[in-house]
Amino acid sequence: MATEGGGGGGRAAFKTVLVGEPMSGKSSLLRCVKYGAEGFDMRYRPDTGVDFGSVRFQLPHNNDITLQLWDIGGGAPIATLISTYIANCQAVLVTYDTTSEASFVGVLKWLDAVKAAGGGGGGGAAAA
């Protein structure tokens, strides 16, 4: 978490990485955060890389929180680089398609990948 400010107010940025099988809703979730409900799209477009979005929340006492969402593609080439993307993140969100058993079973693979990449303990990302 990156923070700055003082004197009763401050800013914090929380890096969250979205991982999961292809077609598990990562990009849809990111688009909804970036553009609101109108960002949701039922059409599937495979990702070929990484997408990023952020949303800022204003809290009482002049405190701001910025949630940074990193959507990494679910394909094998991107998955092999997971350690690069989860570096210095505060959370990893594993997504799955509730209509696909294979997508749900893939959650374990992604949790293992996050843990192997340095998440799930210490000062990095937590996987549960």
Side-chain angles (χ1 to χ4, degrees), residues 24-63:
S24 64
K26 300 177 299 294
S27 296
S28 294
L29 180 60
L30 178 61
R31 281 193 302 272
C32 285
V33 167
K34 287 169 76 171
Y35 308 114
E38 40 303 325
F40 186 77
D41 188 350
M42 292 292 292
R43 293 173 290 178
Y44 175 65
R45 291 182 208 97
D47 289 334
T48 57
V50 177
D51 195 4
F52 170 82
S54 66
V55 61
R56 191 170 109 189
F57 301 97
Q58 287 192 315
L59 301 176
H61 309 293
N62 252 356
N63 291 308

Side-chain angles (χ1 to χ4, degrees), residues 22 47-50 72-85 109-110:
D47 289 334
T48 57
V50 177
I72 66 171
I78 297 296
T80 60
L81 301 172
I82 192 169
S83 61
T84 302
Y85 295 111
K109 174 186 84 171
W110 285 100

